[in-house]
Each structure stands twice: as C-alpha cells, then as structure tokens.
Amino acid sequence: MVSLQRTLLAGAKVSALLVLALAGQGGGAAGGTGAYPLDWGRAGETLQYRSCGCADRCWVAEVKHQRSRKTLASLRCDCERLFGRVGSRGAEVEHSPSCSAIDDADNKPRAIREALEQMLGRCKARRP
C-alpha cells in the first residue's frame, strides 16, 4: 500500500512539473523564435530579427543603438502587410500591403537590411 501511494505521489509530481514546463514555453507554442542578430555592419548598432509565427511570415526586425538600446528603426510583417517605424516613438506606417518582396527574396536578411538602410537614409550600393 505504501508503495502504491509513493508511486501515485511521484506521478502527480511529474505531471505537475510537466504542466509547469509546458506553461513556461509561452510564445514558443505560437511558433515564434527568440531574437538573433542579422548582418548590419555599422559600428555601435545592431540589427535584431525575431519570428512570431506564420511559417516565418510574421516577424520583427529592429536596428538598435548598442549602448543605449534605443530603437533607430523597425520593420514588421504581420503575416500579410509590411509596417515600418523610424525612431522609437515615430508613427508606424504601412509600407506595403504585402511582405512578399522581403519574404520571397533570394536573401531575406539582405532584403531586410536594405529596406532598413533605405528607411534610415543610409542606402549603400547594392551588393552582389
């Protein structure tokens, strides 16, 4: 009888831990990823990208000042439309009714970088 009680108690603890572990996943269940850097190439600034779902058609890319963490510009796709913002407090505006120009590009990270450079008025000659 004591062995059965221990087994049931151990099973209950494992179940509780499993529920807590799954609850802690949060946004992971929605298909998103953590932020990771993309090539930006400007000293003192960083370009961060994170996916929020829709098979990587929902995403946010932000250029930030490294030291202050202030957002300089951001691009966001909501699975359909492309939005952008210059500065941390600027108004977000719709850039396109479709994100396909970036999502379907041969090099999505480069397309994101070039769009953000253009928004910031820092256009470079297009790289091969």
Side-chain angles (χ1 to χ4, degrees), residues 3 21 25 28 34 44 67 73 76 94 97 108-109 113 116-117 124 126 128:
S3 178
Q25 301 265 330
R67 192 174 25 194
R76 177 177 70 86
E94 184 175 324
K108 184 175 178 177
R113 183 184 68 240
L116 285 162
E117 286 173 341
K124 292 181 181 178
R126 188 174 176 111

Side-chain angles (χ1 to χ4, degrees), residues 8-18:
L8 290 174
L9 182 59
K13 288 180 180 179
V14 168
S15 295
L17 290 173
L18 182 59

Side-chain angles (χ1 to χ4, degrees), residues 85-124:
R85 175 188 321 234
V86 176
S88 56
R89 297 184 185 181
E92 184 178 64
V93 297
E94 184 175 324
H95 276 266
S96 174
S98 171
C99 301
S100 62
I102 290 177
D103 286 337
D104 298 335
D106 288 338
N107 187 328
K108 184 175 178 177
R110 181 176 64 197
I112 289 171
R113 183 184 68 240
E114 289 173 354
L116 285 162
E117 286 173 341
Q118 184 177 17
M119 287 173 57
L120 289 167
R122 303 176 181 173
C123 293
K124 292 181 181 178

Side-chain angles (χ1 to χ4, degrees), residues 52-59 76-83 97-100 103:
C52 46
C54 296
D56 201 29
R57 297 244 177 211
C58 176
W59 50 265
R76 177 177 70 86
C77 180
D78 69 356
C79 303
E80 294 177 13
R81 298 175 299 162
L82 183 65
F83 298 91
S98 171
C99 301
S100 62
D103 286 337

